[in-house]
Amino acid sequence: MKVLICDEPGKLSVIDRPEPTPGAGEVLVRIRRVGICGTDFHIFQGKHPFLEYPRVMGHELSGTVERAPANSDLKPGQNVYVVPYLSCGRCVACRKGVSNACQNISVLGVHSDGGMAELLCVPVSNVVPIGDTPLNDAAMIEFLAIGAHGVKRGGIGAQDRVLVVGSGPIGMSAIIFAKARGAHVTVMDVREDRLAFTQDQLGADALLVANADAEAKAGSATGGDFFDAVIDCTGNLAAMQRGFGFVGHGGRYVLVSVVRDNLTFSDPEFHKRETTLFASRNAQPDDFAEVVHQMQAGKVPTRALNTHSGPLTAGPELFRDWLRPEAGVIKAILEV
């Protein structure tokens, strides 16, 4: 089978590997679409802190069942999406039902080889039928679920005034699902082109350029109240620390971003506002289901999000092209 492998930072190759054989309780999935994530670009650039090369990337996956265990409900030919988080089922997080925070989690395409391949073996519990959802859309379910999970973590509702910081794909997902819950959503970013997209395509209610005047403008726009909830999706340490100042009294701050560093904030301000701070990691099964539900309800503009596509075998050239800011990539998908 054909596989796209990252041999080392900056080097991708298309190689042949033997077809995998599913073990007990595993499904053999013929991969059809692979969404490209910021994580994949970081792996390609050598910026991912927890990764060993060579690595087959790919964790935003849709495909078709090739072979399934006899005792499962899956049938050959069914279109499916893959949940890429392989949890242990035994640790304290798994026992509490929060397998997204599993102590021993392995993410396909990061900790183990992923789906930039023609075939992949996956535990049956990680394979979900998609019915008539198009394969391109199904390959976007995972990144959308991350935003949906962050919105859920923040307890966002119709009464809330929300600030989403960062208008990359995960930020866009948070916008979509905060809007789906009826919230008033302001988006802040340094890129005015991305801000315009969130208003034109995603229905953002207000925009805020992340310049030196942002706090003053946010205070003026909210009558000095600031925001009931702030959701950070920047992956930028300075932005994450700055975000505390946009949370109103009694508000919530959700960190979807993660950086390999220590965050600092003003403890007097944190206490004065009685801020609630949430981490938001990966996604849970109900978040994936929420994405599918909102897709079927027409609340997710998948065509606008999927800006680029190309064949798996052209991956080495496409990755370099898609990394250029002027390429205007929001979500790129490899076709297998």
Side-chain angles (χ1 to χ4, degrees):
M1 67 173 182
K2 296 295 183 186
V3 173
L4 179 63
I5 190 166
C6 189
D7 302 285
E8 59 188 35
K11 183 183 177 184
L12 293 174
S13 303
V14 178
I15 64 171
D16 285 301
R17 274 188 176 177
E19 294 186 0
T21 301
E26 288 188 329
V27 181
L28 182 64
V29 178
R30 184 165 294 277
I31 301 298
R32 298 295 190 185
R33 300 290 187 273
V34 185
I36 307 302
C37 169
T39 297
D40 300 314
F41 286 129
H42 287 156
I43 292 170
F44 176 65
Q45 294 173 301
K47 295 180 179 179
H48 198 288
F50 309 115
L51 189 110
E52 295 181 1
Y53 296 89
R55 176 63 70 225
V56 178
M57 300 179 288
H59 61 274
E60 300 180 2
L61 308 172
S62 66
T64 305
V65 174
E66 190 82 358
R67 197 184 316 164
N71 60 350
S72 82
D73 294 329
L74 296 168
K75 306 297 179 187
Q78 271 187 307
N79 286 347
V80 295
Y81 68 84
V82 174
V83 178
Y85 319 130
L86 309 184
S87 54
C88 72
R90 302 180 301 275
C91 72
V92 61
C94 289
R95 296 197 305 271
K96 290 178 178 177
V98 286
S99 57
N100 59 306
C102 171
Q103 289 178 301
N104 307 298
I105 200 165
S106 177
V107 180
L108 292 172
V110 179
H111 305 105
S112 60
D113 281 348
M116 291 189 186
E118 292 181 322
L119 293 162
L120 182 68
C121 293
V122 189
V124 67
S125 58
N126 290 70
V127 180
V128 184
I130 58 172
D132 58 0
T133 300
L135 287 166
N136 271 16
D137 293 2
M140 293 190 278
I141 290 173
E142 191 271 343
F143 95 84
L144 290 163
I146 291 174
H149 184 66
V151 167
K152 181 182 73 178
R153 286 284 286 160
I156 305 302
Q159 75 284 355
D160 286 322
R161 189 155 44 189
V162 177
L163 175 67
V164 175
V165 188
S167 58
I170 300 300
M172 291 183 185
S173 174
I175 295 163
I176 290 166
F177 291 97
K179 289 292 297 178
R181 290 182 173 222
H184 181 281
V185 179
T186 299
V187 185
M188 184 167 74
D189 202 307
V190 295
R191 288 183 55 175
E192 296 189 41
D193 60 328
R194 283 285 181 91
L195 289 175
F197 181 93
T198 66
Q199 194 163 56
D200 296 341
Q201 300 292 336
L202 309 182
D205 298 290
L207 307 177
L208 189 61
V209 179
N211 56 26
D213 299 326
E215 284 87 350
K217 289 180 179 177
S220 176
T222 60
D225 290 343
F226 288 89
F227 297 94
D228 302 299
V230 176
I231 303 175
D232 181 90
C233 305
T234 64
N236 179 278
L237 178 64
M240 293 163 74
Q241 293 180 159
R242 186 183 188 188
F244 283 89
F246 291 89
V247 182
H249 284 242
R252 293 97 68 198
Y253 191 20
V254 183
L255 296 177
V256 181
S257 294
V258 59
V259 290
R260 195 178 185 181
D261 214 328
N262 294 324
L263 289 174
T264 61
F265 54 88
S266 167
D267 190 53
E269 286 295 326
F270 185 74
H271 275 77
K272 182 172 71 176
R273 304 176 194 210
E274 201 177 43
T275 303
T276 303
L277 179 61
F278 293 96
S280 181
R281 185 187 188 193
N282 299 332
Q284 296 171 332
D286 63 317
D287 302 310
F288 283 83
E290 173 68 5
V291 172
V292 174
H293 170 72
Q294 296 299 346
M295 278 184 171
Q296 293 173 343
K299 297 292 182 67
V300 183
T302 52
R303 289 188 179 181
L305 293 171
N306 177 199
T307 54
H308 294 68
S309 61
L312 180 77
T313 51
E317 296 79 28
L318 291 173
F319 255 72
R320 294 187 184 281
D321 181 56
W322 290 342
L323 265 171
R324 296 180 303 112
E326 58 268 28
V329 172
I330 292 175
K331 178 55 61 176
I333 293 178
L334 289 174
E335 300 165 349
V336 187

